[in-house]
Amino acid sequence: MKRRNLLLGALVAASISGAALAQQQPLKIVVPFAAGGGTDSFLRMLADELTKRGTRTIVENKPGGSAVIAADYVAKSKPDGTTVVMSFVGMMGTNTLLFDKLPYDPVKDFTAVSSVAYQPTIIVGRASLPYKNLKEMVEYAKANPGKINRGSPGAAILSNLAPLAFEKQAGFSTNHVPFNGDTPAIQAMLSDSIDIYGTSITSSLPHIKSGKFRVLGVMDTKRLPQVPDAPTFKEMGYDFQAPLRYYLSAPAATPKPIIEKLNKSINEVLVDPAFVERARAIGMEPAGGTAAEMEKLLTGEIARWMPFVKSLNLPKAGQ
C-alpha cells in the first residue's frame, strides 16, 4: 500500500510539474509568411499586447509552400495551448485542390481558436506604369496580352485567388508570379520584376505613401480611409468584393478549456480601443468572436472559393 501511495504521489507530482512547465512556455503564433509583411506586423502587435497582459507570446515565421510548411508544423505540435497558426481559407480549404498530397488534414488536424482581423484585398501597381487605375489596367491587359506580371504571396492565398477570379470575370489574364509572403513580392515590385500585386493595404501602405506604388482598385464597397483617393472595384463598374480574413487555429486535440482561455485573452485585446486604433492605422480591422463563430466564417469562405479553384483545373503541385 505504501509503495502504491508513493507511486501515485510521484505521478501527481509529475503531472503538476508538466502543467507548470507548459504554462511557463510562451504562446507561439506561427505565421506562414515571411517576416515584415502586413499580417506579420499585425500579429506582432497582438503578441506584444498579449505579453503585456500576462500571456507571454512570440511570433515565429515559417513561410513557403502556400502555407503548407507552417500548417504541417502546427498540426504536429503538442496540443497543449502553446502553439497556434495564423490560418486562412487557402491553408484550410483550397490547398486541398492545389496539392497532390498534403502533409496535414485541414479538418482533422486543427481546431478553431478565434478570428482576429479582416481587410479588403487590393491591387497595387508600380507608379511608373501606363495605367493609373483598375479600369485602365483591364484595357491595357486586353490590348497587350502577356505584358502584365502579377505577383502574389502564394498560389493558395486569397490575394492571388481574388485577382485571378476577377481576371476570369473581366476577360483578361496576367502572368502570375507567386512569392513566399508580402515582403519578397514587394521587393520584386520595387525592383520592377513584377508590375502589379494582389495584397492588403497593411503591407503596401508605406510604398503607397512614398509614391512608389499606386492602388489600382479596392475590392470592397467602400474606399479605404488610408487611401481615400483609391476607387473601389464597384465604382469602376465591377461588382466584386474579396475580404481577407485572418484566424488563429490550434492542433486538433488541444483541450477545450485551453481554447476558451486563449480565445478570451485574444478577444480582450481585439476590443481594446487603443489596440483597435493602432491596428486601423496600418489598415487592419480587428474582428474577434467565439471559436464557433470563427468556424462558421471560415466554412463560409471555403464554400465560396472552392468551386472557383476547382473550375480552374490547375495542375497540382507534388509533395
Side-chain angles (χ1 to χ4, degrees):
M1 179 65 72
K2 186 175 181 181
R3 173 180 284 183
R4 183 180 175 186
N5 288 340
L6 286 171
L7 180 59
L8 181 61
L11 288 172
V12 170
S15 175
I16 294 172
S17 177
L21 183 61
Q23 289 171 1
Q24 289 171 8
Q25 294 177 351
L27 170 65
K28 184 191 298 181
I29 301 176
V30 177
V31 179
F33 307 126
T39 49
D40 177 71
S41 298
F42 173 77
L43 290 168
R44 288 180 187 277
M45 286 171 52
L46 177 62
D48 287 345
E49 285 299 318
L50 287 169
T51 298
K52 289 176 187 176
R53 294 163 184 260
T55 303
R56 191 160 62 94
T57 308
I58 61 173
V59 170
E60 184 171 322
N61 301 86
K62 289 190 176 294
S66 290
V68 170
I69 293 172
D72 183 42
Y73 173 81
V74 175
K76 293 177 172 60
S77 296
K78 288 183 179 179
D80 59 2
T82 61
T83 308
V84 297
V85 65
M86 192 222 85
S87 55
F88 55 96
V89 65
M91 178 192 292
M92 298 304 195
T94 55
N95 267 357
T96 60
L97 299 175
L98 296 174
F99 290 89
D100 241 347
K101 184 180 179 183
L102 288 173
Y104 67 94
D105 186 312
V107 176
K108 296 179 180 178
D109 290 345
F110 297 95
T111 188
V113 176
S114 180
S115 302
V116 289
Y118 75 92
Q119 55 186 171
T121 306
I122 64 174
I123 294 181
V124 297
R126 290 186 285 108
S128 59
L129 294 172
Y131 37 89
K132 310 301 180 186
N133 58 48
L134 186 75
K135 198 167 185 178
E136 291 180 4
M137 184 202 78
V138 172
E139 292 170 357
Y140 179 90
K142 288 181 177 180
N144 301 272
K147 293 291 185 181
I148 297 179
N149 293 323
R150 175 179 60 82
S152 82
I157 313 302
L158 189 58
S159 45
N160 169 50
L161 297 176
L164 184 57
F166 172 69
E167 289 177 18
K168 296 290 181 183
Q169 177 181 304
F172 73 99
S173 63
T174 60
N175 304 314
H176 177 224
V177 184
F179 294 88
N180 289 332
D182 281 323
T183 302
I186 285 174
Q187 289 305 312
M189 281 270 286
L190 293 171
S191 64
D192 295 354
S193 298
I194 58 174
D195 304 303
I196 65 172
Y197 181 48
T199 185
S200 67
I201 191 64
T202 302
S203 59
S204 54
L205 189 57
H207 305 290
I208 295 166
K209 287 184 174 181
S210 73
K212 293 176 181 177
F213 295 173
R214 176 186 288 113
V215 179
L216 301 177
V218 178
M219 294 186 184
D220 203 355
T221 56
K222 58 185 179 181
R223 296 192 178 196
L224 288 169
Q226 296 84 2
V227 283
D229 295 334
T232 66
F233 275 47
K234 194 170 184 65
E235 287 177 89
M236 289 179 282
Y238 305 107
D239 189 12
F240 196 91
Q241 300 174 48
L244 296 164
R245 298 190 184 279
Y246 309 109
Y247 311 97
L248 292 179
S249 299
T254 305
K256 189 175 179 180
I258 291 178
I259 294 294
E260 290 173 347
K261 184 178 179 182
L262 281 174
N263 180 277
K264 184 175 183 293
S265 299
I266 290 163
N267 276 273
E268 285 175 357
V269 174
L270 296 177
V271 296
D272 180 83
F275 179 81
V276 171
E277 185 177 354
R278 288 175 57 212
R280 285 176 176 168
I282 63 169
M284 197 73 75
E285 186 66 30
T290 66
E293 287 168 339
M294 171 196 148
E295 194 69 48
K296 185 177 179 180
L297 269 175
L298 182 55
T299 301
E301 276 204 287
I302 291 171
R304 176 186 177 185
W305 289 105
M306 287 285 273
F308 168 71
V309 176
K310 195 170 185 178
S311 73
L312 297 175
N313 292 317
L314 296 172
K316 292 188 177 184
Q319 281 291 318

